[in-house]
Amino acid sequence: MDREQFLTFRTALTPASGFQSAQYRIIEIYSTDVFFLVQKDLRGSFIIEDAPEKLMEFLYWRRGAVEMESLKKTFTLRQFEEKYLPSLLQVANEYREKNLRQKWLKMAETERWNPELVATMRRFDHLANVEWPLVHFRTATRYLDRKPQELAATGGTNWKEYMQPKNQQVTFYPELWSEAEEQSWGKNVTKEQIGI
Ligand code: HEM
């Protein structure tokens, strides 16, 4: 689809956005503890064991995706919260002890550190939280980043900051990454790495 084709129907999508994908949020909750979906610079005020009720207000996508000018929550985000927060909270409570990270932690030490398993979990983490967001960010840039005036996203967010994995700073399995890897999370990712 070339850019002009996209631009002919783009506005018809407003305020809908992939941002309103409840499945995307549920996959995140299935994958790790809600604590690791809290905006990274706010995590210091919480502990992993805190109840989802206490953590949900501070999730990265509820904090990061705001209107460019006002920095207030977008209409798209408010609509999404109204419709899906109760069910997301229910899923978060249901998967508190059985999300993938918890299942991994409950494995016997030797099994847990099986090199093949660790490599697979690292691959999943990097695909979900670096490679896919980066390919998606590059797609959005291709279609929305026009000179001199970039186009507003259909969901109305500060997409240029928000969508970059180095800003979202989501890692499902921090135990599987070195400090250096965490510090360069989402940075210096080569086109080869993300297959474009
Ligand atoms: C031309 C193609 C696309 C463009 C320009 C685009 C643009 C955007 C933008 C700007 C956002 C940020 C929220 C907003 O302000 O709207 C977003 C979020 C999102 N989009 Fe897309 N998108 C495209 C295609 C897709 C496709 C094909 C998918 C699904 C397979 C998708 C899934 C998502 C998801 C899940 C989010 C939320 C991401 C997050 O919170 O980190 N998008 N998209």
Side-chain angles (χ1 to χ4, degrees):
M1 171 176 61
D2 72 25
R3 180 193 266 172
E4 296 322 311
Q5 287 170 319
F6 174 69
L7 297 177
T8 53
F9 71 84
R10 185 184 69 84
T11 47
L13 300 173
T14 307
S17 160
F19 185 82
Q20 297 170 306
S21 162
Q23 296 86 342
Y24 188 76
R25 304 300 166 204
I26 291 172
I27 290 169
E28 292 180 328
I29 293 169
Y30 285 169
S31 303
T32 190
D33 294 291
V34 175
F35 173 84
F36 294 109
L37 303 173
V38 167
Q39 189 165 310
K40 196 162 187 178
D41 56 0
L42 300 175
R43 264 179 233 159
S45 327
F46 306 102
I47 57 170
I48 297 176
E49 294 72 21
D50 275 334
E53 284 77 3
K54 192 171 170 190
L55 300 171
M56 291 297 271
E57 180 54 37
F58 307 94
L59 298 184
Y60 78 94
W61 54 269
R62 297 189 68 188
R63 296 271 149 174
V66 292
E67 287 169 357
M68 276 200 270
E69 272 84 41
S70 68
L71 300 182
K72 288 205 187 98
K73 289 188 176 189
T74 62
F75 174 66
T76 303
L77 174 55
R78 293 198 311 273
Q79 261 193 332
F80 180 80
E81 290 175 334
E82 214 173 289
K83 188 165 180 190
Y84 291 110
L85 263 185
S87 50
L88 290 177
L89 184 56
Q90 195 190 331
V91 174
N93 277 310
E94 195 188 329
Y95 278 77
R96 208 168 160 195
E97 298 300 327
K98 59 178 184 178
N99 61 64
L100 271 184
R101 182 173 172 274
Q102 284 301 323
K103 283 189 177 289
W104 179 73
L105 288 172
K106 291 183 175 72
M107 294 172 89
E109 185 87 16
T110 45
E111 281 179 334
R112 200 181 321 145
W113 293 104
N114 167 305
E116 212 184 322
L117 173 61
V118 169
T120 308
M121 289 178 71
R122 279 169 57 96
R123 183 92 196 94
F124 169 52
D125 207 350
H126 201 260
L127 274 169
N129 297 310
V130 175
E131 297 171 44
W132 184 82
L134 214 47
V135 168
H136 182 233
F137 172 68
R138 297 216 166 122
T139 305
T141 306
R142 173 159 179 251
Y143 287 103
L144 301 176
D145 198 13
R146 293 181 74 160
K147 302 287 178 283
Q149 175 64 35
E150 82 189 44
L151 294 171
T154 52
T157 67
N158 56 335
W159 64 275
K160 271 195 144 173
E161 279 76 44
Y162 169 70
M163 288 171 79
Q164 298 196 54
K166 69 180 172 74
N167 298 337
Q168 293 189 345
Q169 284 293 324
V170 176
T171 317
F172 290 154
Y173 314 115
E175 300 91 340
L176 301 183
W177 303 93
S178 68
E179 204 168 320
E181 287 169 325
E182 280 231 61
Q183 264 149 24
S184 63
W185 193 249
K187 298 172 188 156
N188 321 325
V189 181
T190 63
K191 286 196 172 180
E192 288 65 47
Q193 262 183 303
I194 57 176
I196 58 169

